[in-house]
Every structure is written in C-alpha cells, then in structure tokens.
Amino acid sequence: MVLVKAKGLIANEAEYVARTPQRQVLRFSADGSPAVGQAYRTHWMSPTLSEKKRERLVEKTSRPPELVVIQPLNKEWKCHRCGQQKGDLLIMETPGPSCLPCAGLDDLMFLASGDALLTRRAKAKSARYAVVVRFSRTRRRYERQGLLVELKALADAEREIADQAR
Ligand SMILES: [Zn+2]
C-alpha cells in the first residue's frame, strides 16, 4: 500500500452494493472487518488521468449496479419468502429466488426491448427500474429482454416523445 501511495496514485473508495432491492452494502470479509473492506473497495487511479476522467471513473465505480430480474426457463422455482410463485419473473436474492410482489417490485411495468428512445427516456424518469433478462440456451448467456419501469415514467416518456413528434 505504501509503495502504491509513493507512486502518487489517488485512492477512490467505492461502495459495493448487492444486486438486490435492499441494496445492502457488501462486506468483503466474514467478520465485516473495516480494514479488509477498505482495501477491497479502494480503486487506485493514475494521477496522469485528467480531472474529468477521474470524476467519471469515481462516478462509474460508485453507481449502484442495476437490479436484474429473470424470466426463468425453469418454471419450477419457488419464492423463498412466500413459498409460492407469484408472476413469471423472479429476482435472485442471497437465500434464493423471490417473486416480484415479495421483493416490492410488482408495481413496475414491463417495457420490451426494441424502442431505444422510449427505453432511455422511461429509464431516466423512473426512480426504480430493473433489467429483465432470460437465459439463452443456444448462446449460453443471459440476454436482455427489456426493462421494468414505473408506470408513470413510462406514460410520461411516451407522452413526451409523442409531443416532440407533433
Ligand atoms: Zn413471494
């Protein structure tokens, strides 16, 4: 650490949060030792980066990760909270899958991918949103199906785009 500092690198301590609705801050050691956590959280930035680039890096590393909601291929899942399967989407939490009503996300509307402008606007206006993915067996990876956004954000974005087209 001392050597790194001697080279004049600048420390940026990022906060890692879980990809779950609770957004709890992730711990890096079993006992939650702050020193261990700090060592992992600290990103070292070269002093040769411009002020602007450094700011962008800080902004990027401190942004919370997007919530990811899954359209499961396996329909046999059970919500770890209610033991049922309310709806056809789930969000993975540490103990297992949770249905969206239990995760407090069932008020969000599904907006299928395809309309880039509407997606961008609705996402920007939505205080809460989640990315919806489905696993592709042929491509062997999760693929984005669309977004879950707040109903009002979607309605406002649609109205705004319609007004501009007039
Ligand atoms: Zn549930």
Side-chain angles (χ1 to χ4, degrees):
M1 198 78 74
V2 175
L3 272 177
V4 175
K5 274 183 181 154
K7 278 189 202 159
L9 294 178
I10 296 154
N12 162 34
E13 199 176 308
E15 193 145 286
Y16 284 90
V17 291
R19 270 176 190 269
T20 60
Q22 291 76 33
R23 299 280 194 209
Q24 68 266 41
V25 174
L26 296 182
R27 294 194 318 185
F28 288 94
S29 56
D31 64 352
S33 146
V36 174
Q38 194 190 359
Y40 276 100
R41 273 198 307 275
T42 304
H43 295 238
W44 296 98
M45 295 184 291
S46 163
T48 59
L49 286 178
S50 68
E51 184 72 22
K52 208 167 174 180
K53 273 189 180 152
R54 236 182 287 154
E55 267 172 25
R56 212 159 40 219
L57 210 63
V58 169
E59 199 256 327
K60 215 172 154 188
T61 49
S62 53
R63 202 185 298 153
E66 291 179 313
L67 290 180
V68 176
V69 161
I70 299 171
Q71 279 181 352
L73 298 179
N74 173 9
K75 308 288 182 199
E76 302 302 306
W77 64 277
K78 262 203 179 76
C79 170
H80 78 90
R81 294 169 188 273
C82 68
Q84 296 175 49
Q85 194 187 108
K86 294 180 190 147
D88 51 6
L89 297 173
L90 63 84
I91 184 160
M92 281 310 293
E93 295 183 317
T94 314
S98 169
C99 64
L100 297 196
C102 287
L105 295 171
D106 57 329
D107 59 316
L108 300 181
M109 291 284 299
F110 179 64
L111 170 61
S113 299
D115 188 333
L117 178 63
L118 182 59
T119 296
R120 199 163 58 237
R121 295 274 176 89
K123 182 176 161 180
K125 290 175 189 301
S126 200
R128 294 176 308 133
Y129 70 89
V131 177
V132 179
V133 299
R134 187 171 57 205
F135 190 74
S136 162
R137 286 203 176 101
T138 46
R139 297 204 183 90
R140 292 165 154 261
R141 59 179 158 85
Y142 280 97
E143 294 183 326
R144 190 179 277 242
Q145 306 298 310
L147 284 183
L148 289 178
V149 291
E150 289 166 351
L151 180 59
K152 187 178 182 304
L154 182 56
D156 287 352
E158 278 173 338
R159 196 176 322 114
E160 197 179 280
I161 292 166
D163 284 351
Q164 280 172 355
R166 214 171 281 151

